[in-house]
Amino acid sequence: MIYPGIRVPLPDMGGYIFKRGNVNYFYVYVGERQSTETEGKTTHPKSKCIGRVEINSENKQELMPNTYYYELMGLSQPDVAVMEGAGRKPWKEKPKPAEKREISAEIAVGYGLAVMLISAELQLTQILKDTFGETLGKRILSLAAFMCERAHSSLDGLDQFIGNHLAGTNLDMTFDRRAAGQVLVDITPEQCGNFYTQWNKAHPAGREIFYDVTSFSTYSGQIISAHYGYNRDHDDLPQINQGLFCDRDTGLPLFMCSYDGSLNDKANFNYALKRAREHGIGIGKGKKRVSIVTDGGFSRENVDWSHFLGYDIIIGVSCDCLKAVKEAYTEWTLALKESDRAGSWMLGDNCYIATTIPFKLGNVDGELMMYRDLTLEVDKRKQLSRIREKKKSELENIEKAPKENFSQWAKSFSPYYKIIRCAGRKGFSYEEDSEAFAQACALCGKITLFVKRNYHKLNEQEILRVYRSKESVEDCFDTTKNGLSDKRLHVHGDRQINGKLFVMFVSLILRRTFHRRIADYLKEKGMTDETAIRELEQIKFYKGKDGWSLKDAISKTQREILTALNLKLREDAEVHESLFRQRVRKGRKSKLTEAKVGTPVEEVLEGTL
C-alpha cells in the first residue's frame, strides 16, 4: 500500500530508480550477495520497492512511501484514511494503428531522411530485409534509428519518435513500443549470423581490423550470462561482456559477440576470433591477409591462435608482464646516445625514436618494435623526481621502522631508496638506489609492440600509426555506451539480451557513419553528433490545404550539415504523402526516387549520395 499524502526525504541507502511508464519507483537492496558452493559464483542482492519518486516545488526529489518503507525503517505506519492500492494501473486504451492515428500537423523530416539515405548507401536496408524479412528488418532499423538519435537505452518515447521523425521514411509506421519488446525476442542468433556474413561481404575488411572488449552492467536477475567479473565502470553489478571487431579504413563495426561477464578478455578471444572468421573476417581464396590490432592483456595462446588462423598480428606487449620485453627495452634505452635522439620523428604532437629486434612470442616468430616517446619522457622523468623527493621527506620524518612487515614497508620506497634494517633508535638506514632509479627512468615513455607481418612490410612509423588509430574502436565503444545507451541494457532476460545488443550494433553502424561524414565540420564548429542531430530534427514539414510543405527556411547550420551528409532539400517542394519508397541502383550509390502518392522525392531531394 502506498501513502499518496505523505512525502519523506529520498533515503541514501544505495538504491536505484526504476521507471515504469511515466512513474519513477525507488528500489533498495535488502539482501546480501550469495555464493553458491557448487559453482563458486555469486548472485546480486535482492531489491524491493519502497515508494514512488516525486518532484517537489523546489525541483528536488522526494519519496511517496509505501508500507514496506516503514517496515524497513522500523517505523510505525501512519494512521491515514486514504491509501492507494499497489499494482499497475489498468490499461485504458490500446494505441490505434498508425494508419488510423490522427496525423500530426507537423513532422520532422531531416534526421529520418538522413538515416534512410545512409542506410540505403551502405546496403544496410537491403541486408536487413534479406536476413530478417521486410517487416522485421524495417522494425530493427526503426529501433536502431531511435537509439542512434540519443541515449535511448529504454523504449520510452518510441511511439512519438516514429510518428514524428520517421514519418518521412518508408519504415513500418504501425510499429510501437509494445511491439518493440517482441522484436527483441524475434531476433534469432541464426539471423544475426546471416546478417554478419552478408554485411562483411558487402563491406570486406581492409588491411587492419581492431578488436576490443567492453561490458554492460545490469540489475536484472534473469539473465543467465550476466555474472560478476572485472567491471570497467567499477559497478558492483553482474555484467555482460561484448567483443567488437572494427575496420580501420572505414571505421565501420564488422562483427559483435557477447559472452559471460565472468570471462576475461584473453579467455574468450580465441572463440571470438573464430566466430568472426566464420562470418567473413578472415583469410581465404582470393582474400588479402588481415592484421588483428589490439592492445595488451592478451596471452601467448591468443597470439598462437591468431597465427594458426592465418592472421597477421600487431599487439601491444607489456614490460610489466613479460620480463624478456622489459630487459630488451631497458638495455636499448640505457645505451641510447644523444646522436641517436637526432634521428627522431614526429607523429601527431609527439616525438619518437624506435628500434626493432627479432622476437618470439609464444610459438610465433616476429619482431619487437620498441618506441620511446621523447615528449612523454620529459614529463615522466619530472614526475619520478618529484616522487623521489616526497619519499625522501617521508623517510626523514619517520621516527621508527615498523616491527612487522618490514620487507613490504621497505619495498614501498623502491626504486628510489634502499632500506636497510639495522640496530638503533629507528632500526633502519637508507640510501639512494641509483641503479634502480636509472632503470625506472629508462622505461619512461615506453611503447612496445609485437608484430608478425609476413604478407606486407611496414616500417616502424607506419606500424605505430596503425596501432595509434585503434582509437576508432574505442570511439565505437564510447558511442555504444554513452551515445546509444546509458551504460545499461534495460532488458530482463536472455531472450531479449541478444536482440538488444544486435539492434545496438545496427545503430552503431548508423551513428559511426554519420559521425565520419561530418567529423571535419563538427571539429571546425566545435559541435557534437547530438547537436548536429538536433539541428536536423528542426527541419520540419507542416500540413497545409494542398499537402505538406517545408515549415521554415533552412538555416545556415542546417544547410552545412546537409551538405556534409550529401543531402539537399528543395525548399519550395510540397509532398502530399510522407511514405517514401526507395529504389537502389547498381553499385554503391543509392537514391530515393519516388513517392507512393504525390510529389516525387527527387523533387524534394536534390542530388544523390
Side-chain angles (χ1 to χ4, degrees):
M1 307 293 284
I2 197 166
Y3 301 87
I6 298 178
R7 300 291 188 275
V8 297
L10 201 67
D12 185 12
M13 302 176 62
Y16 63 94
I17 295 175
F18 182 77
K19 189 173 184 179
R20 292 180 180 173
N22 295 323
V23 181
N24 292 321
Y25 293 93
F26 191 78
Y27 285 75
V28 296
Y29 295 108
V30 296
E32 297 180 354
R33 284 168 48 176
Q34 302 293 326
S35 177
T36 57
E37 296 180 358
T38 55
E39 299 180 355
K41 297 179 180 179
T42 58
T43 58
H44 68 284
K46 294 182 179 180
S47 60
K48 278 197 174 184
C49 177
I50 63 171
R52 194 163 67 192
V53 179
E54 301 288 341
I55 305 298
N56 61 19
S57 58
E58 299 178 357
N59 201 27
K60 294 183 179 180
Q61 291 181 333
E62 290 183 336
L63 184 70
M64 181 190 298
N66 61 11
T67 304
Y68 193 81
Y69 169 81
Y70 292 95
E71 293 179 5
L72 186 64
M73 295 297 183
L75 303 174
S76 58
Q77 298 182 18
D79 185 13
V80 294
V82 180
M83 289 189 295
E84 180 179 312
R88 181 177 297 175
K89 293 183 179 180
W91 185 260
K92 294 182 179 180
E93 182 181 1
K94 293 184 178 180
K96 297 177 181 179
E99 292 84 0
K100 298 181 181 179
R101 292 178 187 166
E102 184 178 353
I103 300 176
S104 174
E106 291 184 3
I107 57 174
V109 300
Y111 172 71
L113 288 177
V115 168
M116 291 308 300
L117 288 170
I118 289 173
S119 179
E121 180 186 349
L122 295 176
Q123 304 178 42
L124 180 60
T125 307
Q126 188 63 39
I127 295 174
L128 286 171
K129 179 181 177 181
D130 294 341
T131 53
F132 294 94
E134 185 171 3
T135 300
L136 184 57
K138 286 183 177 181
R139 293 186 172 186
I140 291 173
L141 192 56
S142 297
L143 272 178
F146 174 68
M147 297 175 66
C148 179
E149 188 218 8
R150 63 185 73 185
H152 290 299
S153 186
S154 66
L155 299 179
D156 293 335
L158 176 63
D159 294 4
Q160 181 181 2
F161 171 83
I162 291 179
N164 188 22
H165 298 290
L166 299 186
T169 68
N170 66 340
L171 295 179
D172 185 359
M173 299 303 294
T174 64
F175 184 48
D176 57 20
R177 180 186 175 187
R178 288 201 161 191
Q182 187 61 40
V183 168
L184 302 183
V185 176
D186 292 341
I187 297 174
T188 65
E190 292 77 15
Q191 291 172 318
C192 294
N194 293 334
F195 172 87
Y196 290 130
T197 300
Q198 291 197 33
W199 175 249
N200 283 286
K201 185 177 180 180
H203 302 275
R207 290 287 190 182
E208 295 89 18
I209 58 175
F210 303 118
Y211 176 75
D212 207 346
V213 178
T214 192
S215 57
F216 293 92
S217 303
T218 176
Y219 290 108
S220 175
Q222 303 177 22
I223 301 178
I224 298 176
S225 57
H227 289 105
Y228 287 93
Y230 169 67
N231 193 292
R232 293 161 178 82
D233 299 319
H234 307 291
D235 292 332
D236 189 18
L237 291 169
Q239 64 184 16
I240 300 261
N241 286 330
Q242 181 193 47
L244 182 69
F245 291 88
C246 178
D247 184 60
R248 181 200 176 200
D249 295 334
T250 63
L252 290 173
L254 302 175
F255 175 72
M256 180 273 299
C257 61
S258 60
Y259 55 94
D260 192 304
S262 64
L263 295 174
N264 59 35
D265 300 351
K266 63 182 180 182
N268 198 69
F269 173 80
N270 293 357
Y271 299 90
L273 184 58
K274 183 175 183 295
R275 290 175 58 190
R277 191 179 192 278
E278 291 172 350
H279 292 299
I281 306 177
I283 294 100
K285 187 175 180 180
K287 291 186 179 181
K288 56 182 175 293
R289 295 182 69 90
V290 174
S291 296
I292 304 295
V293 184
T294 186
D295 53 15
F298 295 94
S299 65
R300 297 179 177 89
E301 290 74 15
N302 300 143
V303 175
D304 290 342
W305 181 250
S306 302
H307 173 67
F308 173 76
L309 293 181
Y311 290 98
D312 290 335
I313 303 164
I314 301 176
I315 184 172
V317 291
S318 174
C319 292
D320 299 328
C321 298
L322 295 176
K323 184 178 179 181
V325 174
K326 183 176 181 179
E327 292 176 349
Y329 190 90
T330 304
E331 181 182 356
W332 169 58
T333 51
L334 290 177
L336 282 176
K337 301 177 182 179
E338 289 300 324
S339 58
D340 297 326
R341 295 174 181 267
S344 61
W345 38 271
M346 299 294 296
L347 180 60
D349 296 331
N350 292 21
C351 182
Y352 297 90
I353 56 174
T355 190
T356 301
I357 62 172
F359 197 79
K360 187 171 185 178
L361 187 58
N363 296 314
V364 179
D365 293 321
E367 298 173 335
L368 181 65
M369 292 189 174
M370 300 181 291
Y371 302 85
R372 192 166 185 84
D373 187 338
L374 301 181
T375 307
L376 184 62
E377 175 193 12
V378 176
D379 296 333
K380 288 290 186 179
R381 282 180 175 270
K382 291 180 179 179
Q383 182 180 3
L384 289 177
S385 298
R386 288 194 299 267
I387 296 176
R388 181 170 61 175
E389 293 300 320
K390 183 178 179 181
K391 292 290 185 180
K392 181 178 181 181
S393 177
E394 183 179 345
L395 286 170
E396 291 175 347
N397 294 324
I398 293 177
E399 296 182 356
K400 193 174 183 180
K403 294 181 179 180
E404 298 180 355
N405 299 323
F406 178 87
S407 299
Q408 184 177 357
W409 172 78
K411 190 176 180 181
S412 66
F413 292 92
S414 63
Y416 311 100
Y417 294 95
K418 291 181 180 179
I419 309 298
I420 304 171
R421 184 191 291 271
C422 59
R425 185 175 64 85
K426 289 188 175 183
F428 75 97
S429 62
Y430 64 91
E431 61 182 14
E432 289 189 4
D433 194 343
S434 302
E435 182 178 354
F437 185 76
Q439 291 185 355
C441 292
L443 297 175
C444 291
K446 66 181 182 302
I447 301 174
T448 48
L449 305 177
F450 175 76
V451 182
K452 173 226 161 185
R453 309 285 288 187
N454 292 330
Y455 183 66
H456 59 288
K457 187 72 174 177
L458 299 180
N459 60 32
E460 294 156 348
Q461 298 184 32
E462 293 169 333
I463 289 291
L464 184 60
R465 184 176 292 106
V466 170
Y467 183 74
R468 286 299 191 195
S469 61
K470 70 181 175 65
E471 294 175 357
S472 61
V473 72
E474 296 169 357
D475 290 342
C476 279
F477 278 133
D478 180 69
T479 301
T480 304
K481 299 190 74 168
N482 301 313
L484 308 181
S485 69
D486 55 358
K487 301 182 182 180
R488 300 287 186 270
L489 294 174
H490 292 287
V491 292
H492 300 287
D494 287 275
R495 296 182 65 191
Q496 297 91 359
I497 189 70
N498 292 324
K500 185 66 174 288
L501 288 173
F502 177 78
V503 173
M504 292 175 68
F505 179 84
V506 177
S507 183
L508 182 61
I509 293 174
L510 297 175
R511 187 63 174 267
R512 293 300 299 168
T513 304
F514 182 91
H515 173 79
R516 286 176 70 89
R517 288 190 177 181
I518 63 174
D520 294 338
Y521 175 77
L522 295 179
K523 184 177 181 180
E524 178 185 351
K525 299 296 183 179
M527 298 171 60
T528 63
D529 293 347
E530 290 78 8
T531 307
I533 291 174
R534 298 291 87 77
E535 288 288 343
L536 290 179
E537 290 178 341
Q538 297 307 310
I539 302 176
K540 297 180 180 181
F541 275 59
Y542 75 95
K543 184 181 179 182
K545 294 182 179 180
D546 300 326
W548 293 84
S549 302
L550 199 62
K551 180 184 176 183
D552 302 307
I554 299 177
S555 68
K556 178 183 177 182
T557 301
Q558 292 167 351
R559 195 183 305 277
E560 290 172 346
I561 295 173
L562 289 172
T563 301
L565 292 171
N566 295 326
L567 174 64
K568 297 180 180 180
L569 292 176
R570 271 188 53 189
E571 300 185 43
D572 60 343
E574 290 185 353
V575 182
H576 297 287
E577 180 59 50
S578 297
L579 297 178
F580 300 147
R581 181 171 74 247
Q582 72 178 40
R583 182 171 65 205
V584 180
R585 304 191 307 181
K586 291 183 179 180
R588 294 188 61 186
K589 294 185 177 181
S590 61
K591 179 181 179 183
L592 294 177
T593 56
E594 57 187 352
K596 291 183 178 179
V597 182
T599 303
V601 179
E602 62 261 25
E603 297 182 14
V604 181
L605 302 178
E606 294 182 346
T608 62
L609 287 173

